Amino acid sequence: MVLELGRIPIEAIEWGAKTLIEGTVLHINRQELLERARQGDSRITGVQVDIARPGESVRIIPVKDVVEPRVKVQGKGGIFPGLVSGVETVGTGRTHVLQGCSVVTAGQVVGFQEGMIDMTGPGARYTSFSRLLNVVLVVDVQEGISRHDHEEALRLAGLRAAAYLGEAGRHVDPARVERFEVRRLLEAKPPATDLPRVAYVYMLLSQGLLHDTYLYGRDVKMLLPTLILPTEVMDGAIVSGNCVSACDKNTTYHHQNNPIIQELMARDGIDLQYVGTVVTNANVTLRDKMRSSEYAVKLLEMLGADGAVLSKEGFGNPDADAMMTCSKLEERGIRTVLLTDEFAGIDGASQSLADTTPRADAVVSVGNANEQIILPPMGKVIGDIRVIEKMAGGQSGCLVEGEIRAELQVVMGATNELGFETLYARGE
Amino acid sequence: MGKKLKAIHYLNQFFGQIGGEDKADVEPLVKAGPIGPGVLFQELFGGEVEITATVICGDNYFGEHMDDAAEAVLAIIEGYRPDVVVAGPAFNAGRYGMACGAVCAAVAKRLGIPVVTGMFPENPGVESYRKDVTIVETKATTAGMRDAAQLMTRLALKLARKESLGAPGEEGYLPRGIRRNTFASETGAARAVAMLLRKLKGEDYVTEYPMPVFDRVAPLPPVERMYEITLALITSGGIVPKGNPDRVESSSATKYGKYNIGGLKRLSPESHETAHGGYDPTYANEDPHRVLPLDVVRDLEQEGAIGKLYPYYYATVGNGTSVARAREFAREIAKDLVRDGVGAVLISST
């Protein structure tokens, strides 16, 4: 099973008469983009679009999701299956990627808003999204619709816009083609190698509104852990429906570019055998946590894994899911490394996690989300800056003449627990 | 080279060459230039830093007049406007260690001037001040003077130049128990896979977050006569009066609210809401009893199953709120409850 990712570098975005790629410039027909994003969704009353470029004095707030434009050019299925394409299995054939750009959805959903992205200044150091050409959709919805409907309307608008822009890359010759081959591991004869068998346990947040994740369009709250091809993830099989406390929520962009999958694929056959990826969830009840961790660990035993990388999403309550899974993996002799962020207080002096296990003896820290950052005013704000005081990580009075003093957790993806960034917290 | 950086050195009566135990009651005084071990420090600093003055205080005087002594020393130091303050090293001398720690902590906090001291890890000054002060690890006795002086002057120089320090292990200071963000050369994902491969091969690896050990509170025996006691309600689920009058934060709460429910039989979507940013608020806002069960408790009170309900409830948001902060809240709340004779508490979380 092979997926080729054809990478088309995008270095500039301009408004134009037709949506197409010329060299490394993406021209966008603005009106058509707006229509395609909206696609007759009666819940949406208006969409505005703006472009935020790296280095510009621009702040985007509140951000819900970030999505990479991709298009399926060969092989079964379409991008974001189950949501804006059918439900055929993706992950084989060829997919083109508009690399260096994204669709950002902005607009309020709940009172305690989403995240923010600064395109320059100290905040830009913490998130890769500051280094992308961002096509920002600010979506307004009908008064009085439920927050769940509101969330869904924004989510789908973002996916449709990304799929629409992705189409521009369908007939473009990519600058670089990467080949990802997934071996059939359950075949009778395993390859003759003594490289360690490594599996990936991919925890998806599933706690309700703005804490949900979708797999082929299915809300993973109801998921029993299951196997997925790494290449399906690259084709958008996993979509984010969450963003509160934006620092450690996986956006759709993070899923599409999951760095653990890329790392394991790159080292497969060299110093490890990548034997499989198990997606599991993180629900709110103890019974669900126990069920999912039991089932996920069983799948890893069936894969004959010697070791596992376990990624977490969110903090607090999901610490319990992660610790439970980690503890059971180690009990079964599957050596595990867990990625987590920390909530060690503004002064860094508190315990960082809500739950622990002595078996979690190999932990990668992706940073203390409570640490304070000072973000100077930006020349332009896309969205509404006043929400910062209510945002998780902000507080009343944290905004003074455009300058923000808040916790790092307001920055989209700053402590991403797939290990997308280089930040970490160390003991001093 | 720019202008010389200035250091002030703090010593006790012994190292300050005033005298032994008989002079331990000496009040703070100042002498120009380096004294005693300060001469070695000056030599190690070379030309870039000058020890302009040495402040000396008797260990007993400091220990018995902690606040006054620290104030007096602070006032002297402030007058010199130094770039860095060094104290000791105190080795394993307990009173001296406490004095060095207190001086350094006051200078760092009140004057914002960087500080370095040195102690043996078991010196009680370490436990008291490690969080606020850079403490170089020394031997127990003066046999470790040269090593200590070398480490202390190196760190003092860095701090005076306003450079940041590396990790404790690299720099030779005792961990302060503080987590601080920094950037690695590789992504978290690359570090995770590399760490796993080392773990699988049985090679050495260093976890980036050693698991903390949580406090375990032994449960009290069950309440025997519930019908006689006053019950209080506490929630970390963020149920606050509508409009969130205390502006309890949706995450990383810095406060809790204490709200009167003396005359209240029921909560309603009009009277209360959640301030919590960590869960789907739809259902708590629809019916706040789902998080703060006032309705059921009032019924129990009516039926005589509990003596009475305490007329206030306490609410905070447990979303990313640090354990240290939660402990502070709990101390204050418990004081109230104990004072008012509350016999049991129902805590609802989310």
Side-chain angles (χ1 to χ4, degrees):
Chain A
M1 288 171 284
V2 174
L3 177 71
E4 289 179 333
L5 275 191
R7 299 194 178 271
I8 303 165
I10 301 297
E11 288 165 11
I13 296 184
E14 305 293 345
W15 301 120
K18 197 167 184 301
T19 298
L20 58 90
I21 295 168
E22 259 180 349
T24 58
V25 182
L26 170 63
H27 299 271
I28 302 174
N29 177 322
R30 189 176 192 146
Q31 200 49 42
E32 201 169 88
L33 171 67
L34 291 174
E35 279 161 22
R36 293 293 291 274
R38 190 166 171 177
Q39 192 100 347
D41 188 332
S42 61
R43 297 171 295 192
I44 297 175
T45 53
V47 186
Q48 289 136 49
V49 61
D50 216 327
I51 298 169
R53 299 173 176 88
E56 287 180 346
S57 181
V58 171
R59 171 165 293 154
I60 315 170
I61 180 173
V63 175
K64 183 189 177 295
D65 198 10
V66 183
V67 191
E68 186 170 58
R70 294 189 172 198
V71 61
K72 198 106 198 84
V73 297
Q74 274 169 34
K76 272 204 303 183
I79 218 78
F80 311 123
L83 290 168
V84 301
S85 300
V87 290
E88 295 87 355
T89 300
V90 292
T92 57
R94 183 158 174 170
T95 299
H96 284 178
V97 181
L98 273 57
Q99 189 168 313
C101 69
S102 88
V103 171
V104 170
T105 46
Q108 296 192 33
V109 182
V110 296
F112 326 111
Q113 291 294 338
E114 295 80 17
M116 56 177 284
I117 300 170
D118 276 357
M119 299 306 292
T120 189
R125 191 162 178 212
Y126 290 94
T127 172
S128 300
F129 300 142
S130 302
R131 294 183 282 283
L132 296 179
L133 291 158
N134 294 312
V135 178
V136 186
L137 300 177
V138 182
V139 181
D140 293 318
V141 298
Q142 270 175 13
E143 289 274 330
I145 68 167
S146 77
R147 284 162 164 173
H148 298 84
D149 269 330
H150 190 162
E151 185 280 325
E152 186 185 62
L154 252 70
R155 171 160 42 91
L156 295 178
L159 298 178
R160 284 189 298 257
Y164 166 73
L165 294 180
E167 279 295 334
R170 182 177 287 279
H171 300 294
V172 175
D173 210 10
R176 190 158 59 92
V177 177
E178 279 176 281
R179 192 171 182 278
F180 296 95
E181 181 169 6
V182 183
R183 284 173 287 115
R184 293 173 200 277
L185 285 149
L186 300 175
E187 275 172 358
K189 247 199 297 181
T193 164
D194 55 4
L195 294 174
R197 298 170 65 85
V198 174
Y200 172 34
V201 184
Y202 194 168
M203 214 174 99
L204 306 173
L205 198 59
S206 54
Q207 298 187 332
L209 179 65
L210 291 187
H211 300 73
D212 279 331
T213 308
Y214 297 85
L215 175 62
Y216 279 87
R218 169 65 69 90
D219 183 341
V220 302
K221 277 202 286 292
M222 299 305 286
L223 176 83
L224 209 46
T226 191
L227 286 163
I228 191 168
L229 297 174
T231 51
E232 291 176 270
V233 180
M234 297 172 185
D235 274 347
I238 301 176
V239 162
S240 168
N242 75 61
C243 59
V244 166
S245 297
C247 62
D248 64 4
K249 301 308 177 293
N250 300 327
T251 65
T252 299
Y253 188 98
H254 289 122
H255 289 302
Q256 293 171 295
N257 292 283
N258 185 314
I260 295 170
I261 287 180
Q262 290 188 2
E263 194 67 22
L264 290 173
M265 290 296 277
R267 300 178 84 145
D268 184 33
I270 297 169
D271 47 14
L272 56 83
Q273 300 177 70
Y274 182 12
V275 296
T277 302
V278 169
V279 280
T280 181
N281 55 10
N283 281 6
V284 289
T285 69
L286 182 60
R287 200 176 165 82
D288 281 338
K289 292 178 197 299
M290 292 171 76
R291 180 189 295 117
S292 292
S293 57
E294 286 290 322
Y295 208 99
V297 171
K298 180 197 70 183
L299 290 177
L300 262 75
E301 285 188 292
M302 288 171 71
L303 291 169
D306 301 313
V309 177
L310 168 59
S311 66
K312 203 180 89 185
E313 184 171 17
F315 62 92
N317 193 305
D319 294 352
D321 304 73
M323 292 302 159
M324 200 180 277
T325 306
C326 179
S327 177
K328 287 175 184 174
L329 286 167
E330 286 281 342
E331 266 171 41
R332 312 286 214 288
I334 300 169
R335 299 275 89 95
T336 303
V337 169
L338 163 69
L339 292 99
T340 183
D341 62 352
E342 302 185 36
F343 281 74
I346 290 179
D347 61 1
S350 182
Q351 288 166 1
S352 299
L353 297 169
D355 192 17
T356 59
T357 166
R359 291 185 189 273
D361 59 5
V363 174
V364 166
S365 159
V366 293
N368 175 19
N370 288 139
E371 198 168 290
Q372 196 181 52
I373 46 166
I374 298 171
L375 304 173
M378 293 283 141
K380 174 175 157 186
V381 173
I382 303 176
D384 182 355
I385 194 160
R386 287 167 307 173
V387 300
I388 185 74
E389 297 200 337
K390 284 188 170 181
M391 217 178 239
Q395 54 177 260
S396 171
C398 73
L399 174 68
V400 179
E401 288 170 6
E403 181 186 274
I404 294 170
R405 279 169 190 268
E407 291 179 24
L408 183 56
Q409 58 169 316
V410 299
V411 177
M412 288 298 287
T415 60
N416 176 271
E417 292 165 296
L418 304 176
F420 203 81
E421 307 292 341
T422 59
L423 189 74
Y424 76 109
R426 72 173 186 208
E428 287 190 358
Chain B
M1 197 159 67
K3 73 174 180 57
K4 255 191 188 177
L5 296 164
K6 284 195 290 186
I8 300 290
H9 198 176
Y10 175 84
L11 296 171
N12 70 356
Q13 81 285 352
F14 176 74
F15 288 100
Q17 298 179 345
I18 305 280
E21 204 50 37
D22 55 320
K23 296 287 184 192
D25 290 324
V26 162
E27 292 187 25
L29 59 94
V30 63
K31 291 193 173 185
I35 307 279
V39 176
L40 173 61
F41 275 64
Q42 184 61 70
E43 183 194 316
L44 292 165
F45 272 137
E48 196 172 345
V49 176
E50 185 186 353
I51 299 177
T52 47
T54 304
V55 182
I56 301 162
C57 180
D59 280 337
N60 285 349
Y61 180 82
F62 203 102
E64 286 158 19
H65 308 86
M66 206 78 170
D67 292 344
D68 292 348
E71 274 313 313
V73 171
L74 201 64
I76 296 170
I77 290 174
E78 189 171 18
Y80 285 93
R81 300 178 175 276
D83 298 288
V84 64
V85 171
V86 290
F91 306 105
N92 199 23
R95 285 171 305 169
Y96 188 23
M98 290 299 283
C100 287
V103 166
C104 286
V107 167
K109 195 171 172 190
R110 305 256 300 275
L111 306 182
I113 296 168
V115 293
V116 181
T117 182
M119 298 182 208
F120 183 62
E122 285 168 30
N123 190 314
V126 171
E127 196 49 43
S128 301
Y129 295 104
R130 69 187 311 163
K131 221 180 102 178
D132 308 308
V133 174
T134 304
I135 306 176
V136 164
E137 180 174 350
T138 71
K139 293 205 173 72
T141 66
T142 50
M145 181 61 90
R146 178 158 278 275
D147 289 347
Q150 267 167 352
L151 283 174
M152 285 172 67
T153 48
R154 201 161 61 83
L155 295 196
L157 189 60
K158 276 195 169 187
L159 292 171
R161 286 178 184 155
K162 304 200 185 324
E163 294 171 5
S164 54
L165 300 186
E170 300 159 20
E171 300 272 19
Y173 65 91
L174 292 162
R176 281 171 285 194
I178 300 284
R179 305 291 296 171
R180 198 183 300 280
N181 285 341
T182 178
F183 290 94
S185 55
E186 290 189 301
T187 64
R191 302 200 308 274
V193 174
M195 190 187 291
L196 180 63
L197 288 173
R198 284 195 295 272
K199 188 172 174 178
L200 283 166
K201 285 183 205 153
E203 294 172 1
D204 286 345
Y205 63 89
V206 181
T207 182
E208 293 178 3
Y209 184 61
M211 286 290 120
V213 180
F214 278 125
D215 292 345
R216 291 285 167 204
V217 180
L220 292 172
V223 179
E224 275 179 22
R225 290 191 285 274
M226 278 298 288
Y227 53 87
E228 284 181 358
I229 57 104
T230 300
L231 176 76
L233 294 178
I234 298 179
T235 184
S236 62
I239 299 297
V240 290
K242 189 93 175 176
N244 191 7
D246 293 318
R247 300 198 182 182
V248 176
E249 296 87 348
S250 59
S251 174
S252 305
T254 63
K255 52 195 142 188
Y256 61 90
K258 177 182 181 180
Y259 304 110
N260 193 326
I261 42 169
L264 205 61
K265 293 254 176 299
R266 292 286 189 268
L267 309 174
S268 72
E270 288 72 42
S271 71
H272 289 74
E273 64 182 355
T274 182
H276 201 293
Y279 63 89
D280 179 349
T282 310
Y283 309 102
N285 287 340
E286 241 171 49
D287 182 359
H289 295 117
R290 287 173 172 147
V291 177
L292 186 77
L294 180 70
D295 52 350
V296 180
V297 175
R298 283 285 179 223
D299 291 348
L300 291 170
E301 190 182 33
Q302 190 80 34
E303 292 160 17
I306 59 167
K308 68 178 173 88
L309 180 63
Y310 187 62
Y312 297 92
Y313 80 94
Y314 299 82
T316 189
V317 162
N319 183 25
T321 299
S322 67
V323 174
R325 186 89 70 174
R327 192 181 286 132
E328 274 171 41
F329 296 170
R331 276 209 188 96
E332 291 177 21
I333 294 171
K335 214 177 272 174
D336 269 16
L337 300 180
V338 169
R339 184 195 59 218
D340 293 342
V342 171
V345 181
L346 196 62
I347 301 179
S348 51
S349 67
T350 47

